Structures are given as C-alpha cells and as structure tokens.
Amino acid sequence: MSNPSFPTPGETLGLSPIAFVESPYRQKFAIPRQPGLVKSARGVIHFTEAYAHPDCLRGIEDFSHLWLTFMFHETATQGWKPLVRPPRLGGNQRKGVFATRSTFRPNPIGLSVVELLEVRNNTLVVAGLDLLHGTPILDIKPYLPYSDSIADARGGYADARPNTGMQVQFSAAAEAVLAQHTAQYPQLRALITEVLQQDPRPGYQREQNWQKEYGMHLYDFNIKWRVEDNLNQVISIS
C-alpha cells in the first residue's frame, strides 16, 4: 500500500470566520466549562458579510440544536502542553490534552452544541452557550439526535453532569439593581444564579473554601459575590 499524501508539516489550512458571537460572557472566568449547563445564557450569532444571506440559513429553523465550531481566540497565542489539569478533577491530576476539553490545544478549535431559539434578521438567537463575547465561528451544523446522542457512551472522569450543591442569595442592593434592569435583561437573575451554581472558582480554591470576594462580568454588569460554605452571596451588581 502506498503512503498517503498529507500536507507537509507547518502547512496551514485556510480558515476564516463565518460569524461572531454576541455573548453575555465578557471574560473567560465564570464561563461554564461545558455548553448547556447554563440554560439562561443567551447569545446572538452575527454572520460576516459573505455569509449574511438568507439562503445560507434556509431550513435551519427545523432544527432545535446546532453544533458550533469556533476558535479559542483569547488563548490561541498562549500555546499548549501535552498534559493539562482538568478543572473537573480539581486541578490536581494531569491528563493528556486530547483526553480533555482544555482551551489550550495544538489547534485552538472548540465545539459546542447550543439550542436554537430564533432566526432573526439573518442572525441566530441561541441558548445554553459557553462562548466568550466576540468568539469567531468557523462552521455551523445541525444537531442530529439519532446520530449525535449515544445512550451508552462512556464519559471517563467526567461521566456525570457536575452538581456542586451551591445555593445563591442576593443582597438587597443587588436585588434593587436587578429590579431596575428587568425589562432589558429579563434573564439576568437566572443567568447569575445558574453561573454561580456551577461554582466557577478554581478547583484548589473550592477545596480550601477560601473566604474571599470574587467578581465576574456578564453583559455590561460587574457582579461581586462571596462564598460561605455552599452559599454564594451576591454582594453587588454594578
């Protein structure tokens, strides 16, 4: 058998974004580690000029979910290592990069499934996303339940959905801000709650149960909270 012909080492494949994501996540910290964990995280996929044509989306509304192939654009220049420390294992064990979903990969490409809520003016409104604001989208494909969902698949060290048991409580000041922005951001309370229930702290800080204040940016809001045992206390929203 003759040797197959492959691209020579270092040869690049031409890829360019077809769209960009408008997302509530404005920083990497606090983004859920898998899609679908935060149902209230809604975003909009805006196509570049070359693909902002209704013919490109014809029939897509027949599907409830979509696969998004995207670039880890903020970490792409930081390189990669053969071994990484998965947060699911508390950051204490090393696994091979190809046995993880680490953002630090030889080719900084990711894959997420999202729920399609609406096709609006040649954009896609989606839910359950785990993508940073401005993420470049390389491709979109429909999710097919009969082939994409495998009932007896094994999930290795991440075989079950994470359940932190974390509760969320809002201060009076935080409640007041939520009330002011209900009309514009009706999912804000649910979004904050679902994100914090995932416990976005680094694994080693969870084990230490550090008493400190944390902060994250969702939309244009700066949310600060404190952790006491299994309770996230939202101190302020500004």
Side-chain angles (χ1 to χ4, degrees):
M1 182 181 295
S2 61
N3 291 329
S5 176
F6 294 120
T8 58
E11 183 175 338
T12 59
L13 302 176
L15 295 174
S16 58
I18 64 167
F20 292 87
V21 174
E22 178 185 350
S23 167
Y25 301 115
R26 302 305 166 92
Q27 59 184 154
K28 185 175 180 290
F29 179 64
I31 294 180
R33 295 186 173 95
Q34 303 298 339
L37 295 179
V38 177
K39 301 292 186 182
S40 296
R42 297 190 175 189
V44 182
I45 298 173
H46 298 269
F47 290 89
T48 60
E49 184 176 358
Y51 306 101
H53 193 286
D55 284 350
C56 294
L57 299 177
R58 185 183 300 179
I60 200 169
E61 67 278 358
D62 295 335
F63 298 92
S64 67
H65 292 76
L66 303 172
W67 285 111
L68 305 180
T69 305
F70 63 92
M71 292 284 294
F72 290 111
H73 63 298
E74 279 218 341
T75 59
T77 61
Q78 299 180 35
W80 68 283
K81 294 180 180 179
L83 293 174
V84 299
R85 299 176 184 268
R88 186 64 177 270
L89 297 176
N92 297 320
Q93 299 183 42
R94 295 179 184 271
K95 297 290 183 180
V97 63
F98 300 131
T100 76
R101 296 194 178 190
S102 168
T103 60
F104 303 98
R105 318 191 66 79
N107 292 307
I109 297 173
L111 185 66
S112 284
V113 65
V114 295
E115 182 182 1
L116 176 61
L117 299 179
E118 182 183 358
V119 181
R120 180 194 301 164
N121 298 327
N122 295 331
T123 68
L124 303 178
V125 182
V126 298
L129 78 167
D130 60 341
L131 304 181
L132 187 67
H133 184 69
T135 292
I137 301 297
L138 299 177
D139 197 15
I140 299 173
K141 291 184 175 72
Y143 176 93
L144 302 179
Y146 78 89
S147 66
D148 294 343
S149 178
I150 303 174
D152 57 352
R154 292 183 291 113
Y157 58 85
D159 198 45
R161 181 187 180 97
N163 182 10
T164 66
M166 300 292 288
Q167 302 297 313
V168 180
Q169 184 179 80
F170 294 83
S171 70
E175 290 281 8
V177 175
L178 287 173
Q180 293 173 9
H181 296 280
T182 299
Q184 186 175 2
Y185 298 97
Q187 283 88 29
L188 184 57
R189 171 192 286 275
L191 177 61
I192 295 172
T193 299
E194 292 175 26
V195 168
L196 294 185
Q197 284 176 337
Q198 301 300 315
D199 196 357
R201 295 176 297 169
Y204 68 93
Q205 292 189 12
R206 298 181 197 175
E207 294 179 0
Q208 297 291 334
N209 196 24
W210 288 7
Q211 300 292 319
K212 61 174 293 186
E213 187 176 294
Y214 297 89
M216 64 180 177
H217 287 88
L218 297 175
Y219 296 111
D220 294 325
F221 297 99
N222 181 20
I223 296 101
K224 294 183 179 180
W225 79 96
R226 186 182 298 114
V227 181
E228 294 183 8
D229 297 322
N230 282 339
L231 178 65
N232 290 300
Q233 296 182 318
V234 180
I235 304 167
S236 65
I237 303 174
S238 59

